[in-house]
Amino acid sequence: MTKQIVVLISGSGSNLQALIDAQQQDCLGGHISLVVSNKKRAYGLTRAANADIPTAVRTLKEYRDAGKSREDFDRDLAEFIASDYAPDLIVLAGWMHILSPAFIDRFRGRIINLHPALPGELDGAHAIDRAYVEFKAGSRSRTGVMVHYVIPEVDKGAPILVEEIPCKEGDSQEDLENRIHAVEHHILPKAVKLVLSGNVKSSE
């Protein structure tokens, strides 16, 4: 039976496109059955629609406006995904919303995240910006990309795949970003296939 994947995005969806391309080449190890965005205008929704993948938009603002909590949002999102799609794997591909245990506990060991830093370094938002600042200050000579399992502690889950990226003399921030994004686009599909194959396990 084909493994089912749900992808969560917030922006342009370039990493989603890498997953779609891998799926079309039969190199993903599963089928993307849904793309969810927490931003109504995320271009990733267009990428999904162009590939005939169902989409959904769920925004925290709607919950805030209704006097509901972040945990309510996460719990309802988890219920929607679990009841309607029953995914084997959830992939956070540029999902800019920190998930609470209300979501994570529903899918323990079945959520992975792409983060543009090495394990134990530059956890949280703006990792590329911070890496470049440290590089220019002379305190960093490399950064990297990892795909890891998601746990409540941000970017602290067990790594699945890691690739180091050098910071090169003369790099602009755009140069470094482009090198990081190129690695992201090949490492994420590989990690998805690896997890769905059963050849790597969460430490949960």
PDB file of all heavy atoms in Angstrom, residues 132-166:
ATOM      1  N   TYR A 132      25.086  33.711   8.808  1.00  0.00           N
ATOM      2  CA  TYR A 132      25.857  34.668   8.009  1.00  0.00           C
ATOM      3  C   TYR A 132      26.478  35.755   8.888  1.00  0.00           C
ATOM      4  O   TYR A 132      27.636  36.139   8.675  1.00  0.00           O
ATOM      5  CB  TYR A 132      24.977  35.294   6.927  1.00  0.00           C
ATOM      6  CG  TYR A 132      25.777  36.134   5.957  1.00  0.00           C
ATOM      7  CD1 TYR A 132      26.621  35.530   5.028  1.00  0.00           C
ATOM      8  CD2 TYR A 132      25.712  37.527   5.990  1.00  0.00           C
ATOM      9  CE1 TYR A 132      27.381  36.287   4.145  1.00  0.00           C
ATOM     10  CE2 TYR A 132      26.468  38.290   5.118  1.00  0.00           C
ATOM     11  CZ  TYR A 132      27.300  37.662   4.194  1.00  0.00           C
ATOM     12  OH  TYR A 132      28.059  38.417   3.328  1.00  0.00           O
ATOM     13  N   VAL A 133      25.731  36.229   9.864  1.00  0.00           N
ATOM     14  CA  VAL A 133      26.273  37.229  10.790  1.00  0.00           C
ATOM     15  C   VAL A 133      27.495  36.675  11.512  1.00  0.00           C
ATOM     16  O   VAL A 133      28.537  37.346  11.633  1.00  0.00           O
ATOM     17  CB  VAL A 133      25.196  37.675  11.804  1.00  0.00           C
ATOM     18  CG1 VAL A 133      25.817  38.488  12.934  1.00  0.00           C
ATOM     19  CG2 VAL A 133      24.119  38.507  11.106  1.00  0.00           C
ATOM     20  N   GLU A 134      27.418  35.440  11.972  1.00  0.00           N
ATOM     21  CA  GLU A 134      28.550  34.823  12.670  1.00  0.00           C
ATOM     22  C   GLU A 134      29.728  34.604  11.723  1.00  0.00           C
ATOM     23  O   GLU A 134      30.892  34.772  12.113  1.00  0.00           O
ATOM     24  CB  GLU A 134      28.111  33.500  13.306  1.00  0.00           C
ATOM     25  CG  GLU A 134      27.128  33.685  14.459  1.00  0.00           C
ATOM     26  CD  GLU A 134      26.696  32.368  15.070  1.00  0.00           C
ATOM     27  OE1 GLU A 134      27.267  31.313  14.718  1.00  0.00           O
ATOM     28  OE2 GLU A 134      25.775  32.396  15.917  1.00  0.00           O
ATOM     29  N   PHE A 135      29.437  34.223  10.484  1.00  0.00           N
ATOM     30  CA  PHE A 135      30.492  34.058   9.483  1.00  0.00           C
ATOM     31  C   PHE A 135      31.222  35.381   9.244  1.00  0.00           C
ATOM     32  O   PHE A 135      32.465  35.432   9.240  1.00  0.00           O
ATOM     33  CB  PHE A 135      29.877  33.531   8.188  1.00  0.00           C
ATOM     34  CG  PHE A 135      30.732  33.697   6.968  1.00  0.00           C
ATOM     35  CD1 PHE A 135      31.987  33.099   6.883  1.00  0.00           C
ATOM     36  CD2 PHE A 135      30.283  34.445   5.892  1.00  0.00           C
ATOM     37  CE1 PHE A 135      32.781  33.264   5.757  1.00  0.00           C
ATOM     38  CE2 PHE A 135      31.064  34.612   4.768  1.00  0.00           C
ATOM     39  CZ  PHE A 135      32.319  34.021   4.692  1.00  0.00           C
ATOM     40  N   LYS A 136      30.473  36.461   9.079  1.00  0.00           N
ATOM     41  CA  LYS A 136      31.093  37.764   8.826  1.00  0.00           C
ATOM     42  C   LYS A 136      31.876  38.262  10.039  1.00  0.00           C
ATOM     43  O   LYS A 136      32.840  39.021   9.906  1.00  0.00           O
ATOM     44  CB  LYS A 136      30.030  38.793   8.424  1.00  0.00           C
ATOM     45  CG  LYS A 136      29.354  38.505   7.095  1.00  0.00           C
ATOM     46  CD  LYS A 136      30.336  38.460   5.932  1.00  0.00           C
ATOM     47  CE  LYS A 136      30.833  39.844   5.545  1.00  0.00           C
ATOM     48  NZ  LYS A 136      31.710  39.801   4.357  1.00  0.00           N
ATOM     49  N   ALA A 137      31.459  37.808  11.223  1.00  0.00           N
ATOM     50  CA  ALA A 137      32.164  38.195  12.446  1.00  0.00           C
ATOM     51  C   ALA A 137      33.409  37.339  12.692  1.00  0.00           C
ATOM     52  O   ALA A 137      34.161  37.578  13.643  1.00  0.00           O
ATOM     53  CB  ALA A 137      31.221  38.103  13.641  1.00  0.00           C
ATOM     54  N   GLY A 138      33.595  36.328  11.852  1.00  0.00           N
ATOM     55  CA  GLY A 138      34.772  35.481  11.969  1.00  0.00           C
ATOM     56  C   GLY A 138      34.635  34.324  12.933  1.00  0.00           C
ATOM     57  O   GLY A 138      35.616  33.638  13.229  1.00  0.00           O
ATOM     58  N   SER A 139      33.415  34.080  13.409  1.00  0.00           N
ATOM     59  CA  SER A 139      33.214  33.014  14.399  1.00  0.00           C
ATOM     60  C   SER A 139      32.565  31.759  13.812  1.00  0.00           C
ATOM     61  O   SER A 139      32.272  30.816  14.546  1.00  0.00           O
ATOM     62  CB  SER A 139      32.357  33.531  15.559  1.00  0.00           C
ATOM     63  OG  SER A 139      31.096  33.971  15.098  1.00  0.00           O
ATOM     64  N   ARG A 140      32.350  31.737  12.492  1.00  0.00           N
ATOM     65  CA  ARG A 140      31.732  30.557  11.873  1.00  0.00           C
ATOM     66  C   ARG A 140      32.336  30.327  10.492  1.00  0.00           C
ATOM     67  O   ARG A 140      32.456  31.259   9.691  1.00  0.00           O
ATOM     68  CB  ARG A 140      30.216  30.752  11.763  1.00  0.00           C
ATOM     69  CG  ARG A 140      29.491  29.614  11.033  1.00  0.00           C
ATOM     70  CD  ARG A 140      27.981  29.778  11.085  1.00  0.00           C
ATOM     71  NE  ARG A 140      27.498  29.602  12.451  1.00  0.00           N
ATOM     72  CZ  ARG A 140      27.266  28.425  13.014  1.00  0.00           C
ATOM     73  NH1 ARG A 140      27.468  27.302  12.340  1.00  0.00           N
ATOM     74  NH2 ARG A 140      26.834  28.359  14.257  1.00  0.00           N
ATOM     75  N   SER A 141      32.719  29.080  10.228  1.00  0.00           N
ATOM     76  CA  SER A 141      33.287  28.739   8.927  1.00  0.00           C
ATOM     77  C   SER A 141      32.406  27.767   8.146  1.00  0.00           C
ATOM     78  O   SER A 141      32.677  27.496   6.975  1.00  0.00           O
ATOM     79  CB  SER A 141      34.670  28.109   9.094  1.00  0.00           C
ATOM     80  OG  SER A 141      34.584  26.899   9.850  1.00  0.00           O
ATOM     81  N   ARG A 142      31.372  27.227   8.801  1.00  0.00           N
ATOM     82  CA  ARG A 142      30.447  26.321   8.109  1.00  0.00           C
ATOM     83  C   ARG A 142      29.102  26.345   8.787  1.00  0.00           C
ATOM     84  O   ARG A 142      28.962  26.720   9.943  1.00  0.00           O
ATOM     85  CB  ARG A 142      31.006  24.895   8.027  1.00  0.00           C
ATOM     86  CG  ARG A 142      30.720  23.973   9.191  1.00  0.00           C
ATOM     87  CD  ARG A 142      31.521  24.272  10.417  1.00  0.00           C
ATOM     88  NE  ARG A 142      31.294  23.311  11.479  1.00  0.00           N
ATOM     89  CZ  ARG A 142      30.341  23.442  12.423  1.00  0.00           C
ATOM     90  NH1 ARG A 142      29.503  24.444  12.396  1.00  0.00           N
ATOM     91  NH2 ARG A 142      30.241  22.563  13.379  1.00  0.00           N
ATOM     92  N   THR A 143      28.104  25.947   8.019  1.00  0.00           N
ATOM     93  CA  THR A 143      26.766  25.744   8.568  1.00  0.00           C
ATOM     94  C   THR A 143      26.253  24.450   7.949  1.00  0.00           C
ATOM     95  O   THR A 143      27.041  23.570   7.626  1.00  0.00           O
ATOM     96  CB  THR A 143      25.864  26.972   8.317  1.00  0.00           C
ATOM     97  OG1 THR A 143      24.604  26.756   8.958  1.00  0.00           O
ATOM     98  CG2 THR A 143      25.658  27.253   6.847  1.00  0.00           C
ATOM     99  N   GLY A 144      24.953  24.305   7.783  1.00  0.00           N
ATOM    100  CA  GLY A 144      24.473  23.062   7.202  1.00  0.00           C
ATOM    101  C   GLY A 144      22.966  22.987   7.156  1.00  0.00           C
ATOM    102  O   GLY A 144      22.261  23.970   7.396  1.00  0.00           O
ATOM    103  N   VAL A 145      22.505  21.800   6.816  1.00  0.00           N
ATOM    104  CA  VAL A 145      21.073  21.513   6.730  1.00  0.00           C
ATOM    105  C   VAL A 145      20.838  20.173   7.395  1.00  0.00           C
ATOM    106  O   VAL A 145      21.645  19.248   7.244  1.00  0.00           O
ATOM    107  CB  VAL A 145      20.613  21.449   5.256  1.00  0.00           C
ATOM    108  CG1 VAL A 145      19.163  20.984   5.160  1.00  0.00           C
ATOM    109  CG2 VAL A 145      20.775  22.804   4.579  1.00  0.00           C
ATOM    110  N   MET A 146      19.740  20.074   8.116  1.00  0.00           N
ATOM    111  CA  MET A 146      19.365  18.777   8.670  1.00  0.00           C
ATOM    112  C   MET A 146      17.868  18.545   8.506  1.00  0.00           C
ATOM    113  O   MET A 146      17.068  19.482   8.464  1.00  0.00           O
ATOM    114  CB  MET A 146      19.744  18.657  10.149  1.00  0.00           C
ATOM    115  CG  MET A 146      18.933  19.517  11.083  1.00  0.00           C
ATOM    116  SD  MET A 146      19.248  19.084  12.824  1.00  0.00           S
ATOM    117  CE  MET A 146      18.414  20.447  13.664  1.00  0.00           C
ATOM    118  N   VAL A 147      17.518  17.282   8.391  1.00  0.00           N
ATOM    119  CA  VAL A 147      16.134  16.848   8.515  1.00  0.00           C
ATOM    120  C   VAL A 147      16.070  16.025   9.788  1.00  0.00           C
ATOM    121  O   VAL A 147      16.900  15.136  10.005  1.00  0.00           O
ATOM    122  CB  VAL A 147      15.679  16.011   7.306  1.00  0.00           C
ATOM    123  CG1 VAL A 147      14.213  15.610   7.464  1.00  0.00           C
ATOM    124  CG2 VAL A 147      15.885  16.781   6.003  1.00  0.00           C
ATOM    125  N   HIS A 148      15.118  16.352  10.653  1.00  0.00           N
ATOM    126  CA  HIS A 148      15.063  15.704  11.958  1.00  0.00           C
ATOM    127  C   HIS A 148      13.630  15.404  12.358  1.00  0.00           C
ATOM    128  O   HIS A 148      12.677  15.994  11.827  1.00  0.00           O
ATOM    129  CB  HIS A 148      15.719  16.602  13.015  1.00  0.00           C
ATOM    130  CG  HIS A 148      14.978  17.895  13.240  1.00  0.00           C
ATOM    131  ND1 HIS A 148      14.009  18.040  14.208  1.00  0.00           N
ATOM    132  CD2 HIS A 148      15.060  19.095  12.612  1.00  0.00           C
ATOM    133  CE1 HIS A 148      13.531  19.273  14.168  1.00  0.00           C
ATOM    134  NE2 HIS A 148      14.146  19.934  13.210  1.00  0.00           N
ATOM    135  N   TYR A 149      13.482  14.478  13.292  1.00  0.00           N
ATOM    136  CA  TYR A 149      12.163  14.208  13.865  1.00  0.00           C
ATOM    137  C   TYR A 149      11.733  15.385  14.738  1.00  0.00           C
ATOM    138  O   TYR A 149      12.571  16.067  15.337  1.00  0.00           O
ATOM    139  CB  TYR A 149      12.192  12.926  14.696  1.00  0.00           C
ATOM    140  CG  TYR A 149      12.174  11.674  13.856  1.00  0.00           C
ATOM    141  CD1 TYR A 149      13.346  10.946  13.642  1.00  0.00           C
ATOM    142  CD2 TYR A 149      11.000  11.224  13.268  1.00  0.00           C
ATOM    143  CE1 TYR A 149      13.340   9.799  12.859  1.00  0.00           C
ATOM    144  CE2 TYR A 149      10.984  10.074  12.487  1.00  0.00           C
ATOM    145  CZ  TYR A 149      12.152   9.375  12.284  1.00  0.00           C
ATOM    146  OH  TYR A 149      12.142   8.250  11.507  1.00  0.00           O
ATOM    147  N   VAL A 150      10.446  15.624  14.784  1.00  0.00           N
ATOM    148  CA  VAL A 150       9.907  16.744  15.556  1.00  0.00           C
ATOM    149  C   VAL A 150       9.483  16.285  16.940  1.00  0.00           C
ATOM    150  O   VAL A 150       8.749  15.303  17.097  1.00  0.00           O
ATOM    151  CB  VAL A 150       8.710  17.381  14.817  1.00  0.00           C
ATOM    152  CG1 VAL A 150       8.033  18.439  15.691  1.00  0.00           C
ATOM    153  CG2 VAL A 150       9.179  18.000  13.507  1.00  0.00           C
ATOM    154  N   ILE A 151       9.985  17.005  17.935  1.00  0.00           N
ATOM    155  CA  ILE A 151       9.574  16.841  19.322  1.00  0.00           C
ATOM    156  C   ILE A 151       9.197  18.234  19.837  1.00  0.00           C
ATOM    157  O   ILE A 151       9.422  19.230  19.151  1.00  0.00           O
ATOM    158  CB  ILE A 151      10.696  16.210  20.174  1.00  0.00           C
ATOM    159  CG1 ILE A 151      11.946  17.108  20.186  1.00  0.00           C
ATOM    160  CG2 ILE A 151      11.041  14.816  19.657  1.00  0.00           C
ATOM    161  CD1 ILE A 151      13.050  16.609  21.118  1.00  0.00           C
ATOM    162  N   PRO A 152       8.597  18.339  21.023  1.00  0.00           N
ATOM    163  CA  PRO A 152       8.183  19.673  21.488  1.00  0.00           C
ATOM    164  C   PRO A 152       9.306  20.693  21.592  1.00  0.00           C
ATOM    165  O   PRO A 152       9.082  21.887  21.386  1.00  0.00           O
ATOM    166  CB  PRO A 152       7.559  19.377  22.859  1.00  0.00           C
ATOM    167  CG  PRO A 152       7.025  17.986  22.737  1.00  0.00           C
ATOM    168  CD  PRO A 152       8.055  17.271  21.890  1.00  0.00           C
ATOM    169  N   GLU A 153      10.533  20.252  21.872  1.00  0.00           N
ATOM    170  CA  GLU A 153      11.665  21.170  21.927  1.00  0.00           C
ATOM    171  C   GLU A 153      12.095  21.515  20.504  1.00  0.00           C
ATOM    172  O   GLU A 153      12.449  20.626  19.728  1.00  0.00           O
ATOM    173  CB  GLU A 153      12.830  20.540  22.709  1.00  0.00           C
ATOM    174  CG  GLU A 153      12.536  20.307  24.178  1.00  0.00           C
ATOM    175  CD  GLU A 153      11.640  19.093  24.427  1.00  0.00           C
ATOM    176  OE1 GLU A 153      11.636  18.173  23.582  1.00  0.00           O
ATOM    177  OE2 GLU A 153      10.938  19.064  25.448  1.00  0.00           O
ATOM    178  N   VAL A 154      12.113  22.796  20.177  1.00  0.00           N
ATOM    179  CA  VAL A 154      12.313  23.246  18.801  1.00  0.00           C
ATOM    180  C   VAL A 154      13.678  22.821  18.255  1.00  0.00           C
ATOM    181  O   VAL A 154      14.719  23.106  18.862  1.00  0.00           O
ATOM    182  CB  VAL A 154      12.154  24.778  18.707  1.00  0.00           C
ATOM    183  CG1 VAL A 154      12.481  25.269  17.297  1.00  0.00           C
ATOM    184  CG2 VAL A 154      10.733  25.181  19.084  1.00  0.00           C
ATOM    185  N   ASP A 155      13.640  22.101  17.115  1.00  0.00           N
ATOM    186  CA  ASP A 155      14.843  21.684  16.383  1.00  0.00           C
ATOM    187  C   ASP A 155      15.772  20.797  17.208  1.00  0.00           C
ATOM    188  O   ASP A 155      16.985  20.755  16.966  1.00  0.00           O
ATOM    189  CB  ASP A 155      15.600  22.907  15.844  1.00  0.00           C
ATOM    190  CG  ASP A 155      14.764  23.709  14.856  1.00  0.00           C
ATOM    191  OD1 ASP A 155      13.991  23.097  14.109  1.00  0.00           O
ATOM    192  OD2 ASP A 155      14.888  24.949  14.845  1.00  0.00           O
ATOM    193  N   LYS A 156      15.221  20.067  18.168  1.00  0.00           N
ATOM    194  CA  LYS A 156      16.031  19.207  19.038  1.00  0.00           C
ATOM    195  C   LYS A 156      15.801  17.713  18.791  1.00  0.00           C
ATOM    196  O   LYS A 156      16.412  16.879  19.452  1.00  0.00           O
ATOM    197  CB  LYS A 156      15.722  19.512  20.508  1.00  0.00           C
ATOM    198  CG  LYS A 156      16.140  20.908  20.971  1.00  0.00           C
ATOM    199  CD  LYS A 156      17.635  21.097  20.959  1.00  0.00           C
ATOM    200  CE  LYS A 156      18.050  22.392  21.630  1.00  0.00           C
ATOM    201  NZ  LYS A 156      19.504  22.644  21.499  1.00  0.00           N
ATOM    202  N   GLY A 157      14.915  17.379  17.854  1.00  0.00           N
ATOM    203  CA  GLY A 157      14.634  15.971  17.607  1.00  0.00           C
ATOM    204  C   GLY A 157      15.793  15.257  16.932  1.00  0.00           C
ATOM    205  O   GLY A 157      16.711  15.877  16.381  1.00  0.00           O
ATOM    206  N   ALA A 158      15.748  13.932  16.960  1.00  0.00           N
ATOM    207  CA  ALA A 158      16.838  13.117  16.398  1.00  0.00           C
ATOM    208  C   ALA A 158      17.041  13.405  14.913  1.00  0.00           C
ATOM    209  O   ALA A 158      16.083  13.379  14.135  1.00  0.00           O
ATOM    210  CB  ALA A 158      16.523  11.637  16.598  1.00  0.00           C
ATOM    211  N   PRO A 159      18.288  13.673  14.492  1.00  0.00           N
ATOM    212  CA  PRO A 159      18.561  13.917  13.071  1.00  0.00           C
ATOM    213  C   PRO A 159      18.360  12.659  12.232  1.00  0.00           C
ATOM    214  O   PRO A 159      18.642  11.546  12.681  1.00  0.00           O
ATOM    215  CB  PRO A 159      20.029  14.350  13.051  1.00  0.00           C
ATOM    216  CG  PRO A 159      20.349  14.759  14.460  1.00  0.00           C
ATOM    217  CD  PRO A 159      19.490  13.891  15.328  1.00  0.00           C
ATOM    218  N   ILE A 160      17.889  12.869  11.024  1.00  0.00           N
ATOM    219  CA  ILE A 160      17.714  11.787  10.050  1.00  0.00           C
ATOM    220  C   ILE A 160      18.807  11.869   8.993  1.00  0.00           C
ATOM    221  O   ILE A 160      19.497  10.894   8.706  1.00  0.00           O
ATOM    222  CB  ILE A 160      16.326  11.861   9.403  1.00  0.00           C
ATOM    223  CG1 ILE A 160      15.233  11.711  10.459  1.00  0.00           C
ATOM    224  CG2 ILE A 160      16.173  10.793   8.306  1.00  0.00           C
ATOM    225  CD1 ILE A 160      13.884  12.235  10.040  1.00  0.00           C
ATOM    226  N   LEU A 161      18.964  13.037   8.397  1.00  0.00           N
ATOM    227  CA  LEU A 161      20.052  13.310   7.468  1.00  0.00           C
ATOM    228  C   LEU A 161      20.631  14.680   7.780  1.00  0.00           C
ATOM    229  O   LEU A 161      19.892  15.608   8.126  1.00  0.00           O
ATOM    230  CB  LEU A 161      19.562  13.292   6.014  1.00  0.00           C
ATOM    231  CG  LEU A 161      19.237  11.928   5.388  1.00  0.00           C
ATOM    232  CD1 LEU A 161      18.708  12.122   3.973  1.00  0.00           C
ATOM    233  CD2 LEU A 161      20.446  11.005   5.379  1.00  0.00           C
ATOM    234  N   VAL A 162      21.939  14.803   7.655  1.00  0.00           N
ATOM    235  CA  VAL A 162      22.643  16.059   7.923  1.00  0.00           C
ATOM    236  C   VAL A 162      23.669  16.282   6.818  1.00  0.00           C
ATOM    237  O   VAL A 162      24.352  15.338   6.400  1.00  0.00           O
ATOM    238  CB  VAL A 162      23.375  16.014   9.289  1.00  0.00           C
ATOM    239  CG1 VAL A 162      24.153  17.303   9.518  1.00  0.00           C
ATOM    240  CG2 VAL A 162      22.390  15.765  10.427  1.00  0.00           C
ATOM    241  N   GLU A 163      23.757  17.516   6.340  1.00  0.00           N
ATOM    242  CA  GLU A 163      24.800  17.839   5.364  1.00  0.00           C
ATOM    243  C   GLU A 163      25.443  19.171   5.741  1.00  0.00           C
ATOM    244  O   GLU A 163      24.748  20.171   5.918  1.00  0.00           O
ATOM    245  CB  GLU A 163      24.232  17.908   3.950  1.00  0.00           C
ATOM    246  CG  GLU A 163      25.308  18.066   2.894  1.00  0.00           C
ATOM    247  CD  GLU A 163      24.843  17.728   1.488  1.00  0.00           C
ATOM    248  OE1 GLU A 163      23.956  16.855   1.345  1.00  0.00           O
ATOM    249  OE2 GLU A 163      25.364  18.338   0.535  1.00  0.00           O
ATOM    250  N   GLU A 164      26.759  19.161   5.854  1.00  0.00           N
ATOM    251  CA  GLU A 164      27.502  20.372   6.200  1.00  0.00           C
ATOM    252  C   GLU A 164      27.734  21.216   4.947  1.00  0.00           C
ATOM    253  O   GLU A 164      27.931  20.682   3.851  1.00  0.00           O
ATOM    254  CB  GLU A 164      28.834  19.990   6.834  1.00  0.00           C
ATOM    255  CG  GLU A 164      29.609  21.150   7.399  1.00  0.00           C
ATOM    256  CD  GLU A 164      30.826  20.702   8.191  1.00  0.00           C
ATOM    257  OE1 GLU A 164      30.645  20.004   9.220  1.00  0.00           O
ATOM    258  OE2 GLU A 164      31.947  21.054   7.772  1.00  0.00           O
ATOM    259  N   ILE A 165      27.710  22.537   5.126  1.00  0.00           N
ATOM    260  CA  ILE A 165      27.898  23.479   4.020  1.00  0.00           C
ATOM    261  C   ILE A 165      28.953  24.494   4.432  1.00  0.00           C
ATOM    262  O   ILE A 165      28.807  25.150   5.472  1.00  0.00           O
ATOM    263  CB  ILE A 165      26.578  24.204   3.695  1.00  0.00           C
ATOM    264  CG1 ILE A 165      25.508  23.205   3.253  1.00  0.00           C
ATOM    265  CG2 ILE A 165      26.788  25.276   2.629  1.00  0.00           C
ATOM    266  CD1 ILE A 165      24.122  23.780   3.204  1.00  0.00           C
ATOM    267  N   PRO A 166      30.004  24.661   3.636  1.00  0.00           N
ATOM    268  CA  PRO A 166      31.042  25.633   4.000  1.00  0.00           C
ATOM    269  C   PRO A 166      30.580  27.067   3.764  1.00  0.00           C
ATOM    270  O   PRO A 166      29.805  27.345   2.841  1.00  0.00           O
ATOM    271  CB  PRO A 166      32.194  25.273   3.061  1.00  0.00           C
ATOM    272  CG  PRO A 166      31.516  24.688   1.859  1.00  0.00           C
ATOM    273  CD  PRO A 166      30.330  23.943   2.386  1.00  0.00           C
TER     274      PRO A 166
END
